[in-house]
Amino acid sequence: MKPVLVSYMNRIAIVCVVLLLGVGPSAFGKEVWTVSKLLNQIANHKGFIYNYTETKYMSFFQDPMQSKGILVFRNPDFLQKQVTHPSYDNFKIIGDKLIISRQDKPKREVLLSNYPELLALAESLRATLSGKQDTLKKYYSVKLRGSRSSWQLTLTPTDIDLVEIIEFVEIRGKNEFLQQVTIKEVGGDKSVLKLLVDIENQKQQKQQKPSRKKPVEGKKNHSALLNALQYGLVAHLPLALSR
Amino acid sequence: MIALRYWYLAGWLLILLLAAIWIAGSLQVNSDLSQFLPQDNSLHNRLLKKAIGSSPTTGTLMLSLQGSSPTVLAKVNKRLAAKLRARAKQEHTLIEEVLNGELKFSQKHKAFVLRYHWLLNPNLSEQTFTTAHMRQKMSDLLQAMQSPVPLYDKSTVTVDPLASIKELVSSWFDQARPGRYRGVWFSQDKSLSLIFVQSKSSGVNINASQALIKTIQSDFEKIQTEFPDVKLVMSGVGYYAVVIRDKIRSDITRLSIAAGLFVCFLLFYVYRGFAPMLFGIMPLLTAIIAGTIAVMLVFGQIFGITMAFGITLIGVTIDYPIHFFTHIHKSSTPKKAIVGIWPTLRLGVLTTIVGFTAMLLAGFEGLKQLAVFAIIGLLAAALVTRWLLPIVISETQKFNMPAHLLRFSNRSIQLLGKTPWLVALVSLITLAWIISQDNLTDYDVKKLTPLTASQKQTDRRLRDIIGTTNTRHVIVINANNVEQALQRSEALTAQLNLLVNDKVIGGYDMAARYLPSLKTQGQRLALIPQRAELEARFKMALQGLPFRYQSFSGFIDSLEAVKQQPLLDYQSALRSPLQWKVETLLHQHETGWMALVLLRRVKDYPALLSWGSKQHVDGMKLLDLRQESTDAMATYVNEAIRLLAWGTVIILTILLIGLRSIKDTLRVVLPIAAALILTIGFWLLSGVKLNMFHLISLLLVVGIGLDYVLFFIRKTSSEDHRLDFLAVWICNITTVVVFGLLFFSFPLVLQAVGGTVAVGALAAFIASASVAEKVNGEKSES
């Protein structure tokens, strides 16, 4: 009887251990570690400051090109990319404006709402950092893999204009921090953005607010060409009416 | 005899009926209002009008969506555009193209730009292909690549790393274009979202425009069920043409019914019977039908406004049977009555017709039609009144005019007869006041536009958004051929850019901007270095930069290809996406070519004028379109006045012959002059300056006045005379009421006519009554 009982208890114990070690945690994780959970966690932060290293793998480059800089995000819609190497360039996205400043050139401004595909692309990073699931889902189908300590968010464009340019955007991270953003373009080119939280810089940045100077004269993007051509066709509707 | 009478009546009615059926079957009504404006004799204006009128852009409808949030508007915009685009693909469609700012770059457009951008780019210079410049451009590209979103066109970067395409496109505008939100065109404040629908037909084709508008509206209504807040507002030449036509139609219908009911009622009331009512209207019906047929035979079609206008003008033919019926009484059979009044009636009709003959010489197609309509109508009415009416009216037909009417009309006229000095005094004072006024006339055509203030505002707003306001200033460049026209335009470019910089003008548009002259293209071609040289320089330029030289072989090849292919000539441009621009801005005419330079947002007109006078480009002329058309109108009116002067001489001659007395002629002329003075005074006092249509209507006042005064002064028995008074009195009420109705109609043109004639007829009545033959009232009974 006794050995039987023991072996019975053992079996229960084994089952319990198995449950605890294997099925249990995984079932627990699946239930809780969702896109919403991830985004909520990220959104708890008022902002992020990352040091980044970007590598662009482009067919027209001799070798992959590296650049470095700082990436600043502040809730809800301020995203700044400050390039420090190889040149000094500053790109800020505030709301639907992209403001470009370079030491020796006049400031330029691009209205992203005029170029939906660019806005959509910018949202891949910005909406993720602000935890806006609705915005993300407007432009992408969103898939999450991995665990809290090592997750991978894959954004596949659904926006009709973006599909023509971007194959997917893949974001990897740990807890609420992003570690790597890969943008795979249609045609094979890709860029990889490696991110490291910069705590020291984060303190500094907190003290000095990023400048929000008034934007200067607009700057046209390549897709202005299309607008131009279309517009050109109707540009001077006749004065006949006034005659 | 009775049988014969009925045969005549039946025959007459049958002819009218058949004619009406024929008209209904083959009536070609043209609603083009512009035909009512002067046809200019100067080559410039004729061409301008043709250029502007026939431009494919008249077929463009501007749709604006409003009344909801920008996000919803953008959604509705995309859906409506998609529906319309689907229709554009169907057969038998009216839609040529749908533009709403969405980035749908057709392969045709792209191929064209890639093929020709080196030749078309105005920024191409000796600098362009230097090592230093190319290096700079490649560094710029590198910088643009650091942006979080791509700022360069990935699909063309390897064939156009110097961003020549971008430069070309920027050069195509010097002005604001509609902004975009969520990929579609919006106004600055995001309250309006825009779609442009280009029709396959021109906007002047009203039926096509109407069908297109219906299609758009039904597509929109389907979408609107989901978004009930969103409103669709349309604008554009075609849209307004339809609106105006519908409005004129409904106005005319309403007016005709009102006027017809009134006339019938009056005839019934005065002559106490259905037969007089019917017979009273028959000459008018005959006149309308005869006039319409005459115009259709002579001109092939009839303008809607000619009909409207013409029917009112010959509305005075109702006077003829009134004169006739009034004189039928116990001792005067119909035949006797007509013979009695015929000489006077004939003189009145003839002089009126002479007045309209002056209009026959007018420069307006519309007015010529009107003259034919009126002359034939008046003749027909007079003839049937003289020869047919007396036959079909029974000898025993009673016209029982109420006695109180006779008494009242006689008393009022006798009262007026005591006041010639008062009429003369008021007229002289008015004349003096008129002479003291500076501006009597205003020939600004724009003020005749039958659009309502809100429609004009919508149009202005939409034009503002797309940046086409103030296109009234134009430079015309005449040349022998396309190349010369383009070269001459190019010679102006530098100067025009200065004007833009100095903020004299907001911008300009010309064919040469899109299609450079072959000479300029050749010069640009010569700037491209030999292949080996170019390769060497480009390699140098890339040194130290991460780019792979081989990736840009497309760039080198494209420059090589430009050298092999022909330049972009006029014929090829017509088959390219530039077609519209080239067609609208460059026109061929009998003696050569004309290039238009449209000046936008002229801010400093005097500076522009002084600039224009300093330019010495051959064949160039700076025009103010609005001024031009106003001048044209003034020229036309001056010509019309000259014609009228001749008309007056003829009228006077006829009067002298008819009356055989200078004194009587003066008695006729002076009251009419007084009536004209008082009518002009009326308009000026109410703050309205006279336009051409007022002047034309004065002609009708002359005709009506002649009619009145001739009857007032004719030598006849007192009995007849008292009947004359009654007849004129009734005629006057008819005219004042019918034209008064016209005054409340919608097109300004008809308002001007209605007001002038109503006031003029009243003034003519008062003035001519003041010189009427004295009738010895009750005492003359014996």
Side-chain angles (χ1 to χ4, degrees):
Chain A
M1 280 291 277
K2 219 179 187 180
V4 174
L5 183 70
V6 169
S7 73
Y8 181 71
M9 291 300 283
N10 275 347
R11 273 185 205 168
I12 290 172
I14 288 163
V15 168
C16 285
V17 168
V18 167
L19 277 175
L20 278 171
L21 288 179
V23 187
S26 73
F28 183 78
K30 252 182 196 162
E31 191 193 338
V32 178
W33 193 235
T34 58
V35 174
S36 337
K37 184 82 183 170
L38 169 66
L39 291 177
N40 284 340
Q41 196 176 0
I42 297 176
N44 279 337
H45 284 250
K46 280 186 180 156
F48 295 93
I49 296 173
Y50 290 105
N51 280 324
Y52 78 79
T53 313
E54 188 174 30
T55 315
K56 286 192 182 284
Y57 303 85
M58 301 282 174
S59 62
F60 53 69
F61 281 150
Q62 204 90 10
D63 302 305
M65 192 190 67
Q66 280 218 341
S67 57
K68 285 177 184 166
I70 304 162
L71 191 77
V72 182
F73 171 76
R74 284 203 328 221
N75 241 336
D77 65 354
F78 177 90
L79 184 67
Q80 183 184 22
K81 188 182 181 192
Q82 189 165 329
V83 189
T84 53
H85 172 84
S87 56
Y88 182 89
D89 298 309
N90 195 350
F91 301 92
K92 275 185 242 173
I93 301 178
I94 306 169
D96 64 351
K97 281 184 197 125
L98 168 64
I99 302 161
I100 306 156
S101 41
R102 201 182 187 191
Q103 273 169 332
D104 51 341
K105 287 200 171 168
K107 222 178 217 182
R108 303 176 314 183
E109 190 187 302
V110 177
L111 256 184
L112 290 181
S113 54
N114 282 350
Y115 310 103
E117 74 284 10
L118 298 190
L119 188 62
L121 185 57
E123 291 296 6
S124 67
L125 201 53
R126 190 167 64 172
T128 306
L129 287 169
S130 58
K132 281 182 193 145
Q133 195 174 348
D134 292 348
T135 311
L136 268 187
K137 288 197 168 160
K138 196 164 108 191
Y139 302 116
Y140 304 95
S141 77
V142 185
K143 253 186 211 145
L144 180 66
R145 280 188 295 168
S147 63
R148 181 194 294 266
S149 60
S150 170
W151 49 263
Q152 184 181 328
L153 193 67
T154 308
L155 308 173
T156 315
T158 50
D159 180 87
I160 198 159
D161 297 306
L162 195 57
V163 163
E164 286 171 21
I165 322 174
I166 302 295
E167 208 164 289
F168 62 78
V169 179
E170 184 198 272
I171 304 172
R172 290 175 193 227
K174 179 182 180 180
N175 299 329
E176 70 267 42
F177 295 109
L178 276 60
Q179 290 175 318
Q180 179 174 310
V181 180
T182 307
I183 300 175
K184 180 86 187 288
E185 295 179 20
V186 173
D189 290 350
K190 70 172 178 180
S191 71
V192 179
L193 193 70
K194 290 203 161 135
L195 301 165
L196 253 181
V197 183
D198 183 337
I199 294 161
E200 201 150 309
N201 221 333
Q202 189 139 20
K203 278 176 195 160
Q204 279 180 17
Q205 289 274 336
K206 263 183 189 166
Q207 282 151 17
Q208 45 173 276
K209 285 188 172 178
S211 61
R212 284 206 187 195
K213 280 180 196 166
K214 268 211 158 181
V216 202
E217 255 315 277
K219 147 87 193 140
K220 289 141 199 165
N221 173 277
H222 71 274
S223 46
L225 172 61
L226 310 178
N227 194 19
L229 267 179
Q230 290 197 358
Y231 175 65
L233 298 179
V234 293
H236 56 93
L237 279 157
L239 8 151
L241 202 62
S242 60
R243 292 266 300 157
Chain B
M1 193 64 197
I2 290 169
L4 190 64
R5 176 170 85 88
Y6 283 118
W7 276 116
Y8 273 111
L9 184 59
W12 188 5
L13 284 172
L14 190 68
I15 290 170
L16 286 185
L17 189 69
L18 289 177
I21 290 170
W22 182 76
I23 288 172
S26 56
L27 188 64
Q28 283 271 328
V29 178
N30 187 324
S31 312
D32 184 3
L33 269 185
S34 71
Q35 294 298 321
F36 248 87
L37 299 178
Q39 275 172 4
D40 217 307
N41 300 324
S42 85
L43 181 67
H44 260 142
N45 288 328
R46 209 148 42 79
L47 283 173
L48 270 179
K49 196 172 167 194
K50 184 179 151 245
I52 291 156
S54 68
S55 120
T57 45
T58 58
T60 303
L61 286 177
M62 296 186 267
L63 316 185
S64 82
L65 298 161
Q66 45 192 271
S68 191
S69 70
T71 317
V72 171
L73 291 180
K75 202 179 276 177
V76 174
N77 183 319
K78 283 181 192 171
R79 278 216 218 159
L80 182 57
K83 270 185 187 255
L84 295 174
R85 281 199 186 101
R87 283 189 188 276
K89 282 184 192 131
Q90 293 163 2
E91 273 180 73
H92 312 299
T93 176
L94 286 165
I95 301 173
E96 174 77 43
E97 199 150 8
V98 179
L99 306 168
N100 67 340
E102 280 186 282
L103 303 179
K104 297 286 175 251
F105 200 8
S106 77
Q107 287 305 313
K108 188 188 163 200
H109 289 187
K110 195 161 184 169
F112 172 78
V113 173
L114 281 172
R115 188 174 149 105
Y116 286 110
H117 69 98
W118 296 114
L119 296 174
L120 306 183
N121 182 358
N123 292 6
L124 210 67
S125 69
E126 291 93 351
Q127 288 295 308
T128 309
F129 299 105
T130 58
T131 308
H133 181 257
M134 288 196 286
R135 191 179 170 76
Q136 182 59 50
K137 283 286 184 182
M138 296 311 282
S139 311
D140 287 349
L141 175 61
L142 214 52
Q143 184 230 0
M145 290 178 63
Q146 299 297 335
S147 163
V149 293
L151 291 172
Y152 61 101
D153 186 355
K154 194 78 194 286
S155 65
T156 57
V157 71
T158 54
V159 287
D160 179 31
L162 306 185
S164 154
I165 292 176
K166 198 155 104 183
E167 285 175 3
L168 173 62
V169 166
S170 311
S171 81
W172 281 350
F173 332 52
D174 48 11
Q175 44 148 15
R177 53 175 179 257
R180 284 193 287 145
Y181 176 75
R182 298 204 174 224
V184 295
W185 281 328
F186 264 90
S187 63
Q188 210 68 42
D189 61 0
K190 296 206 178 87
S191 67
L192 297 180
S193 186
L194 302 171
I195 303 178
F196 296 95
V197 179
Q198 171 60 28
S199 161
K200 279 189 173 151
S201 71
S202 118
V204 184
N205 182 343
I206 296 190
N207 290 334
S209 295
Q210 191 173 31
L212 182 59
I213 289 166
K214 263 191 190 153
T215 309
I216 293 170
Q217 258 158 359
S218 80
D219 279 352
F220 173 71
E221 274 156 20
K222 276 173 217 149
I223 301 169
Q224 201 187 21
T225 52
E226 269 179 75
F227 306 94
D229 297 348
V230 182
K231 304 266 176 307
L232 172 69
V233 176
M234 292 195 219
S235 181
V237 177
Y239 176 70
Y240 288 125
V242 172
V243 168
I244 292 167
R245 182 184 65 175
D246 291 351
K247 184 76 178 109
I248 290 180
R249 265 191 191 166
S250 76
D251 261 23
I252 294 304
T253 315
R254 221 158 25 90
L255 282 173
S256 312
I257 292 171
L261 281 178
F262 173 76
V263 169
C264 288
F265 167 77
L266 194 74
L267 289 173
F268 183 79
Y269 175 72
V270 174
Y271 303 112
R272 305 280 146 151
F274 284 102
M277 191 175 91
L278 171 74
F279 292 137
I281 294 170
M282 294 268 293
L284 176 61
L285 287 179
T286 314
I288 293 172
I289 286 171
T292 310
I293 290 178
V295 172
M296 283 167 67
L297 289 181
V298 175
F299 298 93
Q301 59 172 1
I302 186 163
F303 295 123
I305 197 156
T306 308
M307 286 275 273
F309 214 162
I311 290 172
T312 19
L313 284 193
I314 60 176
V316 298
T317 56
I318 201 82
D319 290 3
Y320 304 164
I322 290 175
H323 283 299
F324 175 31
F325 295 165
T326 311
H327 285 88
I328 300 172
H329 48 86
K330 276 173 237 154
S331 56
S332 171
T333 61
K335 286 204 178 79
K336 252 182 160 173
I338 194 70
V339 171
I341 62 160
W342 179 240
T344 313
L345 195 64
R346 186 180 53 195
L347 192 56
V349 172
L350 279 180
T351 42
T352 311
I353 286 178
V354 168
F356 284 120
T357 318
M359 255 168 37
L360 208 53
L361 304 172
F364 291 37
E365 171 91 4
L367 282 188
K368 278 187 203 162
Q369 285 198 5
L370 197 57
V372 169
F373 191 93
I375 290 170
I376 300 298
L378 287 175
L379 264 180
L383 291 178
V384 296
T385 306
R386 171 65 185 90
W387 306 111
L388 264 175
L389 265 190
I391 297 175
V392 298
I393 289 176
S394 152
E395 290 284 337
T396 56
Q397 173 71 47
K398 291 210 166 50
F399 294 89
N400 305 316
M401 285 163 289
H404 66 271
L405 269 186
L406 191 63
R407 273 204 304 280
F408 185 72
S409 66
N410 271 282
R411 238 178 247 156
S412 57
I413 284 164
Q414 273 170 6
L415 204 65
L416 287 169
K418 287 171 188 153
T419 61
W421 55 272
L422 187 63
V423 172
L425 187 68
V426 172
S427 304
L428 282 176
I429 292 171
T430 315
L431 182 64
W433 181 75
I434 291 172
I435 291 169
S436 74
Q437 297 294 299
D438 289 334
N439 268 324
L440 299 183
T441 52
D442 183 357
Y443 301 139
D444 191 344
V445 183
K446 204 163 186 176
K447 297 208 175 114
L448 297 177
T449 310
L451 296 180
T452 64
S454 80
Q455 285 165 333
K456 278 187 201 162
Q457 205 194 337
T458 306
D459 188 61
R460 205 176 308 129
R461 181 146 186 228
L462 293 185
R463 276 161 194 277
D464 235 2
I465 295 167
I466 60 167
T468 62
T469 39
N470 270 342
T471 26
R472 59 185 270 198
H473 300 286
V474 166
I475 296 172
V476 173
I477 298 169
N478 280 306
N480 298 326
N481 51 49
V482 175
E483 180 64 13
Q484 195 180 37
L486 291 174
Q487 284 186 20
R488 286 177 176 175
S489 307
E490 282 166 353
L492 275 178
T493 315
Q495 288 286 319
L496 287 168
N497 288 340
L498 281 181
L499 285 182
V500 175
N501 282 341
D502 294 346
K503 305 223 177 330
V504 173
I505 57 173
Y508 65 93
D509 207 5
M510 58 159 75
R513 160 173 289 169
Y514 309 95
L515 174 63
S517 68
L518 295 177
K519 186 180 155 204
T520 302
Q521 291 185 46
Q523 284 166 352
R524 287 184 190 151
L525 200 60
L527 292 172
I528 302 173
Q530 292 303 306
R531 186 177 184 121
E533 174 67 21
L534 184 70
E535 281 173 346
R537 286 192 204 168
F538 191 57
K539 254 180 206 157
M540 285 265 283
L542 291 187
Q543 246 168 34
L545 297 175
F547 295 106
R548 184 204 304 269
Y549 169 77
Q550 289 78 5
S551 305
F552 297 94
S553 60
F555 164 57
I556 308 283
D557 289 345
S558 81
L559 282 165
E560 203 54 30
V562 179
K563 291 184 206 157
Q564 312 299 333
Q565 83 199 17
L567 300 175
L568 181 66
D569 60 10
Y570 177 72
Q571 291 306 325
S572 326
L574 286 186
R575 292 188 302 270
S576 79
L578 299 179
Q579 180 201 355
W580 279 15
K581 279 293 184 186
V582 173
E583 271 185 355
T584 14
L585 296 172
L586 207 53
H587 297 270
Q588 187 170 23
H589 53 80
E590 308 95 85
T591 56
W593 288 78
M594 178 183 73
L596 295 178
V597 182
L598 307 182
L599 304 178
R600 296 209 184 95
R601 298 203 192 92
V602 175
K603 291 160 196 154
D604 187 351
Y605 187 56
L608 179 67
L609 271 183
S610 81
W611 172 85
S613 63
K614 282 183 220 134
Q615 298 307 309
H616 300 293
V617 175
D618 290 331
M620 175 197 141
K621 196 178 170 193
L622 177 66
L623 297 178
D624 177 341
L625 291 183
R626 195 157 159 196
Q627 190 60 46
E628 288 289 313
S629 59
T630 307
D631 288 352
M633 189 68 115
T635 314
Y636 168 73
V637 173
N638 289 337
E639 189 198 310
I641 288 173
R642 202 168 48 83
L643 291 175
L644 283 186
W646 282 110
T648 314
V649 171
I650 300 171
I651 289 176
L652 284 177
T653 317
I654 296 175
L655 283 177
L656 271 174
I657 296 168
L659 298 168
R660 292 184 198 86
S661 147
I662 293 178
K663 187 184 156 236
D664 276 352
T665 308
L666 276 180
R667 258 174 99 191
V668 171
V669 172
L670 288 178
I672 291 172
L676 295 182
I677 290 167
L678 291 173
T679 313
I680 294 171
F682 163 80
W683 282 120
L684 294 178
L685 266 177
S686 33
V688 177
K689 303 239 181 275
L690 300 186
N691 66 36
M692 203 201 54
F693 293 96
H694 292 114
L695 297 181
I696 295 296
S697 309
L698 288 177
L699 213 67
L700 186 58
V701 173
V702 172
I704 291 167
L706 275 172
D707 223 17
Y708 294 172
V709 78
L710 285 176
F711 272 99
F712 276 147
I713 65 163
R714 79 176 173 132
K715 312 269 183 295
T716 179
S717 69
S718 282
E719 173 70 7
D720 262 1
H721 226 110
R722 286 176 38 226
L723 294 174
D724 283 346
F725 287 180
L726 175 60
V728 172
W729 196 75
I730 296 168
C731 291
N732 186 243
I733 290 176
T734 325
T735 307
V736 171
V737 170
V738 170
F739 280 87
L741 283 175
L742 200 63
F743 180 64
F744 295 104
S745 78
F746 152 80
L748 290 172
V749 173
L750 292 186
Q751 275 186 18
V753 174
T756 307
V757 177
V759 172
L762 194 62
F765 177 74
I766 294 168
S768 43
S770 73
V771 299
E773 280 287 309
K774 297 284 172 292
V775 174
N776 229 351
E778 260 76 5
K779 285 177 202 163
S780 68
E781 291 280 306
S782 53

